[in-house]
Amino acid sequence: MRDLSSTTAPAADDTAASPDFDSVLAARLSRRSLLKGSLATAATTYLGSSLSLSASGDVQAAARALKLNFQAIPKSIDDKIAIANGYQWRVLVATGDPLASDVPAYANDGSDEAGSFTRRAGDHHDGMHFFGMSQSARWDAQRAERGLLCINHEAVTAAFLHPQGETVADGKRISEDEVMKEMLAHGVSIVEVRRHQGSYVTQQDSPLNRRITPFTDMELTGPAARSPQLITKYSITGTRTRGTIANCANGHTPWGTYLTCEENWAGFFKRGESDNAKRSAKELAALRRYGIEGKGKHFWASVQPDTADQRFGRWHAAVTGTSNNGSDDYRNVANTFGWVVEIDPFSPTASPKKRTALGRFAHEGAWPGPVIPGQPLVWYMGCDARNEYIYKYVSTAVWDPSDAKRGLAAGDKYLNEGKLYAARFNADGTGDWLELKFGLNNIDVNYANYAFSDQADVLIHARLAADAAGATRMDRPEWGAVNPHNGEVYMTLTYNPSRTLDQIDAANPRVYNDTHAGDSGKTKGKGNGKGNVNGHIIRWAEQDGRVAATKFQWDVFLFAARCSADPQHINLSGLTADNDFSSPDGLWFARSGLLWIETDDHAYRDASNCMLLAAIPGKVGDGGARTIVNREEDKERPMTTHIGKAAEASSLRRFLVGPVDCEITGLAESPDGRALFINVQHPGETTNGKEFNIADPASYLSHWPDGEKARPRSATIVITRKDGGLIGADLV
Ligand code: FEO
Ligand code: CA
Ligand code: CA
């Protein structure tokens, strides 16, 4: 249960005198026979490590030498956190918790003042990163005792934010106060944390604590900035926009900045059918491809009267003015969302920058590849929607380690100019990165579905460009992660109920029925038992290990499934009761090379709440080609895919299971590997069922973390090992 007494900071730094992770790894490596090669250098610099590996450092050996240091735990449907023996956890920062010492504790009954959310943690914690911090409050990647935690707040469970739930009548909001609170509970929190009694606590009075919200002024940078398509009443030059929304997963840079990614932002905007007549055919093609239509997720645009700064009307992405360029309304506002946003957590007054060179889509996250001096930097990205694409950005500038201290100025150098690619997975196990460039790969004025006009248009409509180029439509890309020891990239494909037998391909090869899927919780009766019901994790190795390669080799690391499912066609990775899972979502490599897998499940919740598993990865090609036979009703369809070696009890185990109706997401590690931060998002989020009644706590699906009759809250928790050791796996 939550220990409220320890949310204030310790009087003094009580850092344990334990050897840090890098020295453990260094000692380990010094005992090994070593290989020469650029990946050794790559891994060393990726870690931001102080390791002094010889040029012959065998970094792969370290990954092979991991041993899981816990026993698997069973699945659970209890309203609690279940965790492996030998481990402990505590809530670090939950929805509404104060980020300043003069903000009152969160009442959590809907009475908390809306404006106070500019200094409280937001809701629906998601992607996050730990930035180690020096005594002089500067970024120091090696420092574990003190750091800044950047936490995304992807969404809200609106009912629990207000005294009697949200007030909506006829698709209209009548309470300005409610809508303000919902808006301010989105965005990002930056909060200083310090090690305390072997765990961590927040530092409520830190001057670096900060909220980024949908109101924070931001700069639009890169090739699409100043495009006529980015002109709004807020910025008639198309160079600024107001805030960020739908911040799902994340990334970071080798110069110590945070990347927050705008994912399912389209649904926040209102655009009714009456707008269609005022749009060109080209505009309509773009608006429909991105799903900008409907009344808006929370009906924010409906508040009347609006304020002078149009804080409500800005969510109305329709032609309401008389200008011919959108300078007097918000017809183009949705084009200023869907980007990767760079934030310098150590410069609280600096405007975040939206990096248009990385393309506009439903950005799940942006995961850096190996950082190698003299080579370009890369980020891998996925578009989180059914049948969408995987992307890669390659900087034009090559990495100069002296840029590591330059903050957002380094961002301008590496993130404003580069090549954007989408992935095509070929049937033979190879893949191609297809450049999304105006004039290449069918991306031009003659493309039948959308007449591209220039490179800014390509970046603003990256989904359409990837359509034109012929990229592979994936089973809903969620998180990616890059193995620090060999540069291989893993990405979760969470599930895809819309995949049919006629649409399967080698990289998205499974279609089946699961009549138990959706037996419980929010997905009851939603038909999630069709298509790729449980999802899979794909991975690839760039050709010759070069980050800028345009070819790769891929296989499927794991197919998620019920352990009882048919091993020939569904449970292809041989999962057992100790490690079966469904809908992989969060994915993250510890510095040690241990891979963490989180779930946001829709199809196995009759058996378990969402969970966290630890995996010791192999490498691309450690399995082989395999032909499976898909069945749907009375049809059969064989498909040959490429699959990694089967999971073993020694290489994949369930580590933690969350409370009811939550998603486990977000991962960050202290630089010494002795604390793991994860997010428990939206426990008890189902507030639209017939049985739900805000006045009756007994009707809530969850009361986590505060227990008894409390409204449930999202929260970051910090996990430590009771003996202070490395989390999940030891180096042996
Ligand atoms: Fe926000 Fe892709 O989950
Ligand atoms: Ca996710
Ligand atoms: Ca998900």
Side-chain angles (χ1 to χ4, degrees):
M1 193 41 56
R2 187 159 184 234
D3 175 9
L4 289 166
S5 65
S6 59
T7 52
T8 47
D13 216 331
D14 61 349
T15 308
S18 54
D20 74 9
F21 178 79
D22 287 335
S23 45
V24 174
L25 184 58
R28 168 88 199 97
L29 290 165
S30 69
R31 297 197 303 270
R32 299 215 144 243
S33 63
L34 303 170
L35 279 173
K36 295 193 176 181
S38 64
L39 276 172
T41 315
T44 307
T45 50
Y46 174 81
L47 294 173
S49 167
S50 56
L51 282 177
S52 54
L53 283 182
S54 68
S56 53
D58 180 6
V59 289
Q60 183 63 32
R64 281 200 299 268
L66 286 172
K67 184 176 182 207
L68 297 178
N69 59 25
F70 64 94
Q71 295 301 310
I73 63 164
K75 294 184 280 286
S76 164
I77 53 171
D78 296 337
D79 190 29
K80 66 170 193 181
I81 288 194
I83 195 166
N85 273 337
Y87 285 86
Q88 58 197 356
W89 63 274
R90 65 181 298 280
V91 169
L92 187 66
V93 58
T95 299
D97 278 351
L99 301 182
S101 43
D102 60 340
V103 174
Y106 192 54
N108 195 25
D109 58 4
S111 68
D112 303 274
E113 194 249 321
S116 72
F117 267 89
T118 59
R119 297 193 299 156
R120 296 184 183 278
D123 203 3
H124 283 222
H125 305 38
D126 207 325
M128 66 181 160
H129 194 76
F130 182 101
F131 292 92
M133 186 169 159
S134 69
Q135 295 290 359
S136 56
R138 305 290 294 273
W139 174 54
D140 181 343
Q142 303 310 313
R143 295 294 290 263
E145 65 270 23
R146 185 180 178 202
L148 291 181
L149 206 55
C150 295
I151 306 166
N152 287 350
H153 299 290
E154 180 185 26
V156 298
T157 306
F160 292 127
L161 292 178
H162 312 306
Q164 304 299 327
E166 69 268 57
T167 316
V168 186
D170 225 8
K172 290 193 171 61
R173 302 299 297 267
I174 50 175
S175 166
E176 180 176 326
D177 198 56
E178 283 182 12
V179 172
M180 281 302 294
K181 192 187 285 187
E182 291 167 20
M183 290 195 278
L184 291 172
H186 286 79
V188 177
S189 288
I190 299 170
V191 57
E192 183 177 340
V193 298
R194 290 195 181 193
R195 178 166 277 161
H196 178 57
Q197 296 176 349
S199 183
Y200 284 82
V201 293
T202 58
Q203 185 81 14
Q204 279 190 0
D205 58 357
S206 171
L208 293 174
N209 289 354
R210 179 185 181 192
R211 279 300 316 283
I212 311 283
T213 74
F215 290 91
T216 305
D217 177 65
M218 303 195 171
E219 185 182 349
L220 295 159
T221 70
R226 298 188 180 278
S227 160
Q229 297 184 78
L230 299 186
I231 290 174
T232 60
K233 191 174 176 183
Y234 184 76
S235 173
I236 60 171
T237 55
T239 53
R240 304 200 82 84
T241 189
R242 198 166 12 174
T244 185
I245 199 82
N247 305 87
C248 188
N250 63 304
H252 62 280
T253 69
W255 51 91
T257 61
Y258 184 63
L259 302 177
T260 185
C261 299
E262 298 178 332
E263 187 210 48
N264 284 309
W265 45 272
F268 285 84
F269 294 99
K270 171 187 172 184
R271 199 185 69 81
E273 276 182 22
S274 61
D275 185 55
N276 290 348
K278 300 173 185 169
R279 300 287 197 162
S280 68
K282 179 175 167 172
E283 282 179 296
L284 286 175
L287 290 162
R288 286 175 178 150
R289 183 65 179 85
Y290 281 81
I292 300 157
E293 47 206 349
K295 291 189 169 182
K297 187 175 176 185
H298 297 287
F299 313 110
W300 289 343
S302 67
V303 177
Q304 291 290 339
D306 205 348
T307 55
D309 65 358
Q310 284 187 273
R311 62 184 57 173
F312 306 112
R314 59 173 286 209
W315 301 102
H316 191 191
V319 179
T320 59
T322 56
S323 69
N324 59 11
N325 65 357
S327 58
D328 59 348
D329 60 20
Y330 287 92
R331 73 187 70 165
N332 293 324
V333 67
N335 291 340
T336 71
F337 290 83
W339 304 105
V340 173
V341 185
E342 185 179 11
I343 297 169
D344 188 340
F346 295 91
S347 295
T349 57
S351 285
K353 298 194 178 194
K354 297 201 177 187
R355 300 296 185 185
T356 66
L358 281 72
R360 174 172 164 269
F361 41 92
H363 274 285
E364 178 75 25
W367 296 279
V371 175
I372 306 169
Q375 293 199 28
L377 298 177
V378 304
W379 281 265
Y380 296 97
M381 305 173 286
C383 179
D384 180 4
R386 296 170 186 176
N387 308 305
E388 289 294 347
Y389 305 115
I390 289 172
Y391 297 82
K392 164 177 159 175
Y393 171 80
V394 180
S395 69
T396 300
V398 297
W399 176 237
D400 174 353
S402 72
D403 287 328
K405 304 272 185 215
R406 293 179 61 221
L408 287 169
D412 291 339
K413 176 176 175 182
Y414 296 99
L415 294 174
N416 282 353
E417 194 184 329
K419 292 181 177 174
L420 183 65
Y421 298 89
R424 181 175 65 203
F425 292 80
N426 302 318
D428 64 359
T430 65
D432 295 287
W433 289 112
L434 308 170
E435 189 177 354
L436 306 183
K437 183 177 179 182
F438 183 66
L440 276 186
N441 290 325
N442 208 25
I443 304 165
D444 53 35
V445 291
N446 298 316
Y447 175 53
N449 296 333
Y450 188 82
F452 290 97
S453 50
D454 54 21
Q455 186 61 16
D457 199 15
V458 170
L459 294 170
I460 294 168
H461 300 106
R463 278 182 173 177
L464 285 157
D467 291 346
T472 303
R473 295 181 180 278
M474 309 303 288
D475 281 343
R476 209 179 145 185
E478 290 267 12
W479 287 54
V482 181
N483 187 332
H485 296 304
N486 63 12
E488 291 185 356
V489 190
Y490 289 63
M491 195 166 280
T492 55
L493 301 167
T494 191
Y495 80 113
N496 186 357
S498 68
R499 181 77 58 181
T500 67
L501 274 192
D502 295 331
Q503 297 166 329
I504 51 174
D505 58 51
N508 302 276
R510 270 191 322 177
V511 162
Y512 52 101
N513 290 337
D514 178 348
T515 54
H516 296 292
D519 270 359
S520 69
K522 66 180 177 184
T523 58
K524 213 178 247 181
K526 278 199 181 168
N528 286 313
K530 291 185 174 170
N532 180 359
V533 180
N534 304 107
H536 56 290
I537 303 173
I538 202 161
R539 65 182 171 184
W540 61 90
E542 300 285 9
Q543 190 174 51
D544 303 324
R546 290 182 304 109
V547 293
T550 56
K551 293 188 179 303
F552 58 87
Q553 195 79 31
W554 65 268
D555 68 11
V556 173
F557 171 52
L558 289 172
F559 284 97
R562 287 173 192 263
C563 60
S564 58
D566 180 342
Q568 298 303 316
H569 309 304
I570 300 173
N571 186 13
L572 301 167
S573 295
L575 304 184
T576 69
D578 285 341
N579 59 22
D580 63 340
F581 65 100
S582 176
S583 291
D585 191 326
L587 197 64
W588 195 77
F589 270 102
R591 289 183 171 203
S592 65
L594 184 67
L595 179 65
W596 292 102
I597 302 167
E598 299 175 315
T599 69
D600 173 17
D601 184 37
H602 302 259
Y604 199 18
R605 300 191 347 167
D606 52 311
S608 187
N609 301 336
C610 290
M611 62 185 74
L612 171 67
L613 306 101
I616 297 174
K619 58 183 181 182
V620 172
D622 63 13
R626 186 151 156 198
T627 300
I628 61 176
V629 180
N630 292 286
R631 294 194 177 85
E632 197 177 48
E633 286 151 11
D634 56 350
K635 288 190 287 186
E636 278 192 3
R637 193 72 42 91
M639 175 56 64
T640 299
T641 185
H642 306 273
I643 177 171
K645 72 173 183 182
E648 294 170 357
S650 60
S651 65
L652 179 67
R653 289 179 191 164
R654 189 178 303 106
F655 177 77
L656 174 147
V657 183
V660 174
D661 207 25
C662 80
E663 163 184 353
I664 300 294
T665 185
L667 276 156
E669 179 184 41
S670 65
D672 61 0
R674 288 162 201 281
L676 187 70
F677 304 86
I678 66 164
N679 284 321
V680 178
Q681 191 189 88
H682 64 62
E685 73 160 344
T686 303
T687 58
N688 54 2
K690 279 190 189 127
E691 56 283 359
F692 179 78
N693 174 2
I694 187 72
D696 176 15
S699 71
Y700 307 169
L701 289 181
S702 172
H703 300 284
W704 191 91
D706 303 309
E708 297 189 35
K709 296 180 178 178
R711 296 178 177 200
R713 296 196 277 167
S714 298
T716 301
I717 67 169
V718 53
I719 296 164
T720 50
R721 204 164 121 185
K722 288 176 181 169
D723 65 5
L726 297 175
I727 311 297
D730 293 323
L731 296 160
V732 292

